Amino acid sequence: MVQQYWVGDFFIDLSRNQITKNEETQTLAPKAMRVLTHLANNQGKVISQDALLDHVWQGTVVSPNTLQRSIAQLRRAFGDDGKDQAYIKTHAKQGYSLECNVRWGEEEPAITSANAKHSTRKAPDKLQSVIQFRLVPMVLLTVLMLMILGATGYRYMADNSAPQLVISHMRALTATDNKESAGIYSPDGQYIVFHRFSEQECINNIWAKEIKSQQEFQLTKELGVYSNHSLSPDGQKLTFISIGDCAEPITQKKCYQLVNLDFNKALHSSQLPTVLMECKTSKIRNPIWLSNNNIALMQQTSDSWKLINYSVDQNRSEVIYEIENGSVIDYDFSLQKGQIALTSIHGDGHYYIDMLKPNGEVISSNRIILPEGIGRYRFIYPNFSPLDDRLIFSIGKRLFMLATDGTVSRVSLPLDEPIGTPKIHPHGNKMLAIKGYYDSDIISMPISDIGKLKQHTDESVYAVLQRSNVTEDSAKFQPSGELVAFKSERSGEDQVWIADKNGARQLSQFSMDTYLYDLQWAKDGKSILVNADKEFVQLFLDGTVNKFDLKHAANELFHWDSVKQTALTLIWFNGKKRLAQLNLVNPSKHVIYDKTAVWAQKNTSGDIIFTDLMGRFWYPGPAEDQLIEALNGQGSDRRFVVNKDIIYGINDDFELWSYSLSDGEFKLLGDVPKNIDYVTDSDGENLLMSIQIASRKEVLELYFEH
């Protein structure tokens, strides 16, 4: 079978699953490459969906959505937005065809009238042909060749000066219908330790698996809300964070406990953890054992994060590292190197990679230079890699290396599903990551029918909008229209879609691994503002796009006034998250409030209603914010929406309620399914919500090529 060929001026290398043009190489999933090759073998012919599915996914039952995702990936690689369809053409109810000329082998195609518009590229790593310059004087041709060779040589040296990490293969270490996360190796490399979640609930147990025998052990005796864990250097003690409701809340609804259990005992019999310390007025996360019975962990106070050291022997903590007018984002510790790698946001609004000694002494601090294709405000969470002075991180389907000087380079690894940032094996020859999917649907439910859910929890009460097997959420009603806008991964990437009674279509064309947070309709219903990688992009229904140049990372998009062009959001300001109303046209008119918020909305009068860390509701009063006492105990992490002057929310008992801001009337409307993620919008008669269907994630092991 031929391993290389050309599609127009794109060079296809099947041995590497790569498509190259103008020295820019993209790595695609193997299945997408097989789809392309089958179409190339039948260039110009219409191949049905069934024929493509049978050829590429032999013996495997998959939905047409799977094929559509591969087609979408190929179109993005070719720079085809799906409208012009210059490369892959869709034939309604028939199939697909490859319209561009195909040339087999790695020789550069000749420029002809048939492919001239696609022929501007030389074969990778070969000297560009100079045939078209035969009429150029010999002296100029020599100069040109020297310039090309010099530039090529410089690029070659630049690209190959950095150490390379090559992944040879991967395998799944767990295979259940559950969601698993937070995989780490034991210090001796014989076990993996991970979380396994209860079906459709955010509670979990911690498990271990012996890699050689594949035997599994449940370490924790009872389900709980457990976060990241770490084993002591001798492998004897497992520490993690346990999160629960505070018996007597002080400044936050949840209390955070640093807990411990004996790992060897837990391998024989599930254990109840021992509490080391409890935080009632701050959050803690990501504990990692250092040495000498010390544990590093992140602590949030005054809305910003710092790195602290907890001494088990002395039962006290001290600050390792904190940033004035800034915040720690994440960190990792290497016992072998004796160093801490820490990402942070500084007072200048930029992200940094800080290398520390365990006592907090700064070895180096450099600004992170994110390459094109990664949003400038996108948080990254790197871990140590086997290479010196290199960390590794994932932003979804792509892996990157981060040097301690702040530069970023790509790791070649074709993936069809996102993975989490890997954890390296103690011997440095492989790493763990979490791979899988989250399936959520959008449901529309008449408010008057909510009470029926006490007897019926199936789809007889609510309607599912465009069922798919991927993540879909953030649905919003079009003002004075019949459209619904929502986020969906059904085309293979997170995109904005719009739907009506006749079907749905993709509106946005965001690049791979763009993360969409939320969206809002314009008042006239003709455009949508979306928070894409913490930046605001306005999408018009006619396909026009307008990107706003924000001076701050927008962590949420609560409300958009499309007439005044203001947006209510959360931003990082002097190292703290602050509620802000950004003026999208004139930054000098930004209004930054001296308060944070978990969630916020506006009523028809433009008043801000928000919830705090205690789950309490507030709205503006004549002199200061007023507590809505009738809603004490009704706040939850399922958010709330405001339609005119009515607030709709879901409490921790999965009861839907309404509250009138005008007359103070509170109503319990009825139960909602316990797999509800969020309530996202209301038009006064109906509610839009996202509902979890399934979540399957598994621990994956990736091997390095030697």
Side-chain angles (χ1 to χ4, degrees):
M1 177 181 175
V2 177
Q3 293 293 300
Q4 289 90 19
Y5 60 94
W6 291 83
V7 175
D9 56 341
F10 286 86
F11 182 72
I12 316 300
D13 188 347
L14 297 180
S15 65
R16 294 182 173 87
N17 294 315
Q18 291 178 344
I19 296 180
T20 301
K21 179 183 178 182
N22 294 336
E23 298 186 4
E24 294 181 5
T25 297
Q26 302 176 68
T27 302
L28 272 66
K31 296 295 187 186
M33 299 295 286
R34 289 194 63 186
V35 169
L36 176 61
T37 303
H38 192 51
L39 291 173
N41 280 318
N42 297 275
Q43 191 272 334
K45 298 179 182 178
V46 178
I47 308 299
S48 69
Q49 288 192 15
D50 290 341
L52 282 166
L53 289 169
D54 290 341
H55 180 81
V56 177
W57 287 271
Q58 298 174 1
T60 303
V61 178
V62 295
S63 71
N65 283 344
T66 305
L67 173 60
Q68 292 164 9
R69 285 195 290 270
S70 292
I71 294 293
Q73 291 172 21
L74 291 168
R75 282 176 170 157
R76 280 193 297 274
F78 288 131
D80 193 340
D81 62 4
K83 294 180 181 179
D84 296 333
Q85 298 188 356
Y87 292 85
I88 299 176
K89 186 175 181 179
T90 300
H91 301 266
K93 299 182 180 180
Q94 296 183 55
Y96 302 94
S97 65
L98 183 65
E99 296 298 303
C100 198
N101 287 349
V102 176
R103 183 181 179 90
W104 299 96
E106 65 174 323
E107 182 181 351
E108 181 186 8
I111 299 177
T112 66
S113 59
N115 66 6
K117 67 177 181 178
H118 300 300
S119 299
T120 60
R121 170 74 182 117
K122 59 183 175 58
D125 300 325
K126 291 183 178 293
L127 184 63
Q128 182 175 348
S129 173
V130 294
I131 295 175
Q132 62 265 46
F133 299 112
R134 287 177 179 173
L135 298 179
V136 178
M138 205 61 193
V139 174
L140 294 179
L141 181 58
T142 302
V143 172
L144 178 63
M145 291 179 64
L146 290 173
M147 291 174 63
I148 292 173
L149 287 170
T152 303
Y154 176 80
R155 281 194 300 270
Y156 179 83
M157 288 186 293
D159 291 343
N160 290 275
S161 61
Q164 299 296 311
L165 189 66
V166 180
I167 297 168
S168 60
H169 63 284
M170 62 186 79
R171 65 164 179 160
L173 290 183
T174 58
T176 70
D177 290 327
N178 300 96
K179 172 187 173 183
E180 288 147 351
S181 68
I184 63 169
Y185 289 103
S186 61
D188 59 10
Q190 296 182 25
Y191 293 88
I192 60 169
V193 183
F194 58 92
H195 292 170
R196 177 168 288 161
F197 283 79
S198 150
E199 185 177 0
Q200 296 183 343
E201 292 190 49
C202 292
I203 53 177
N204 61 292
N205 271 309
I206 301 179
W207 288 70
K209 185 168 192 171
E210 187 180 29
I211 298 176
K212 184 176 181 180
S213 69
Q214 293 290 294
Q215 185 177 359
E216 293 188 344
F217 309 88
Q218 182 179 317
L219 303 180
T220 49
K221 195 169 186 178
E222 298 176 354
L223 285 165
V225 181
Y226 305 131
S227 69
N228 287 28
H229 47 262
S230 173
L231 277 162
S232 57
D234 60 8
Q236 299 299 309
K237 290 172 262 187
L238 179 70
T239 187
F240 49 97
I241 306 296
S242 177
I243 307 171
D245 290 333
C246 293
E248 296 180 1
I250 301 173
T251 60
Q252 58 192 29
K253 190 175 181 180
K254 301 290 185 181
C255 284
Y256 294 74
Q257 295 178 332
L258 180 67
V259 299
N260 216 19
L261 59 77
D262 188 302
F263 182 65
N264 289 327
K265 288 183 178 179
L267 289 175
H268 295 89
S269 177
S270 300
Q271 300 289 304
L272 291 171
T274 301
V275 177
L276 297 177
M277 73 172 185
E278 183 176 49
C279 296
K280 298 180 180 180
T281 60
S282 64
K283 295 181 180 179
I284 53 174
R285 66 179 176 92
N286 197 16
I288 299 180
W289 280 91
L290 300 175
S291 57
N292 301 322
N293 241 9
N294 291 317
I295 303 170
L297 64 158
M298 293 174 60
Q299 181 180 29
Q300 184 188 41
T301 55
S302 302
D303 304 320
S304 61
W305 291 88
K306 57 188 175 184
L307 188 65
I308 67 171
N309 172 52
Y310 172 75
S311 170
V312 178
D313 295 334
Q314 300 177 18
N315 190 28
R316 66 180 183 88
S317 62
E318 60 183 5
V319 175
I320 296 177
Y321 191 65
E322 63 181 335
I323 303 164
E324 184 178 0
N325 296 329
S327 179
V328 173
I329 297 173
D330 196 38
Y331 80 103
D332 191 27
F333 172 67
S334 170
L335 185 65
Q336 291 79 8
K337 299 176 191 264
Q339 293 181 1
I340 294 171
L342 181 145
T343 52
S344 58
I345 180 170
H346 288 206
D348 59 6
H350 296 303
Y351 300 153
Y352 286 76
I353 173 68
D354 304 313
M355 302 302 297
L356 316 171
K357 293 182 179 179
N359 63 2
E361 180 184 340
V362 178
I363 301 171
S364 65
S365 179
N366 291 290
R367 180 181 166 187
I368 298 173
I369 309 300
L370 293 175
E372 186 176 352
I374 303 179
R376 58 176 172 166
Y377 295 131
R378 179 88 178 246
F379 277 2
I380 60 172
Y381 304 92
N383 290 330
F384 278 97
S385 81
L387 304 179
D388 289 338
D389 301 324
R390 293 292 187 278
L391 305 161
I392 189 167
F393 68 92
S394 166
I395 63 168
K397 298 178 184 177
R398 292 178 293 171
L399 282 177
F400 293 87
M401 302 294 290
L402 170 65
T404 56
D405 65 2
T407 57
V408 175
S409 58
R410 177 82 183 272
V411 177
S412 179
L413 177 65
L415 290 169
D416 60 347
E417 291 179 345
I419 67 169
T421 292
K423 282 283 189 179
I424 305 300
H425 189 276
H427 299 157
N429 59 338
K430 52 188 176 180
M431 59 185 180
L432 289 181
I434 302 297
K435 177 178 180 288
Y437 66 88
Y438 185 80
D439 181 2
S440 63
D441 282 344
I442 295 161
I443 63 173
S444 176
M445 184 184 303
I447 296 173
S448 59
D449 289 347
I450 296 294
K452 297 179 181 179
L453 281 172
K454 291 184 177 180
Q455 292 81 31
H456 306 303
T457 57
D458 57 16
E459 295 183 14
S460 64
V461 178
Y462 56 80
V464 176
L465 178 73
Q466 297 278 317
R467 165 68 186 141
S468 75
N469 59 358
V470 294
T471 302
E472 297 189 323
D473 56 28
S474 301
K476 300 290 192 307
F477 289 112
Q478 181 188 31
S480 303
E482 297 185 357
L483 298 177
V484 173
F486 61 100
K487 299 187 311 177
S488 175
E489 296 179 0
R490 61 176 65 187
S491 61
E493 299 294 336
D494 213 3
Q495 302 288 353
V496 176
W497 287 66
I498 53 175
D500 58 19
K501 59 184 179 181
N502 297 317
R505 70 178 178 91
Q506 182 177 320
L507 182 63
S508 66
Q509 299 292 335
F510 292 112
S511 60
M512 178 183 291
D513 290 331
T514 299
Y515 186 82
L516 306 185
Y517 288 83
D518 210 343
L519 52 90
Q520 301 287 342
W521 279 97
K523 187 176 181 179
D524 61 8
K526 295 181 180 180
S527 65
I528 298 165
L529 189 69
V530 59
N531 185 346
D533 279 340
K534 302 186 180 182
E535 297 188 83
F536 292 156
V537 180
Q538 186 177 5
L539 308 171
F540 292 85
L541 297 185
D542 64 3
T544 308
V545 177
N546 177 36
K547 184 174 180 179
F548 294 98
D549 184 18
L550 301 184
K551 303 303 180 185
H552 303 274
N555 291 277
E556 300 287 354
L557 174 56
F558 299 130
H559 182 269
W560 177 36
D561 186 329
S562 59
V563 177
K564 297 180 180 178
Q565 282 293 31
T566 60
L568 185 67
T569 181
L570 278 179
I571 65 170
W572 281 101
F573 184 73
N574 289 335
K576 300 178 181 179
K577 276 188 181 179
R578 284 291 177 259
L579 191 62
Q581 181 168 283
L582 301 183
N583 188 303
L584 303 182
V585 179
N586 189 350
S588 65
K589 294 184 179 180
H590 289 341
V591 178
I592 301 174
Y593 303 98
D594 188 23
K595 55 193 171 189
T596 188
V598 175
W599 193 250
Q601 297 278 274
K602 281 190 176 184
N603 63 6
T604 51
S605 301
D607 298 323
I608 300 173
I609 296 95
F610 68 96
T611 51
D612 62 14
L613 292 172
M614 299 279 284
R616 299 174 300 185
F617 285 77
W618 299 83
Y619 73 104
E624 58 185 17
D625 293 333
Q626 302 293 308
L627 177 67
I628 306 177
E629 295 186 3
L631 295 182
N632 284 351
Q634 300 301 323
S636 75
D637 57 5
R638 291 166 191 86
R639 303 177 180 173
F640 66 91
V641 296
V642 178
N643 178 259
K644 296 181 180 178
D645 282 327
I646 304 294
I647 306 175
Y648 297 96
I650 299 171
N651 60 28
D652 286 331
D653 294 324
F654 295 93
E655 296 172 318
L656 180 74
W657 51 263
S658 68
Y659 177 79
S660 172
L661 289 167
S662 57
D663 59 21
E665 182 181 12
F666 173 81
K667 294 180 182 178
L668 279 176
L669 302 178
D671 297 338
V672 296
K674 291 191 175 181
N675 54 340
I676 288 289
D677 279 337
Y678 305 110
V679 55
T680 61
D681 200 13
S682 171
D683 62 1
E685 296 181 357
N686 302 280
L687 285 173
L688 290 174
M689 295 181 274
S690 59
I691 186 169
Q692 178 182 333
I693 303 301
S695 179
R696 181 178 177 183
K697 296 189 177 182
E698 59 190 7
V699 183
L700 191 71
E701 195 166 44
L702 301 93
Y703 290 78
F704 301 132
E705 186 175 288
H706 297 289

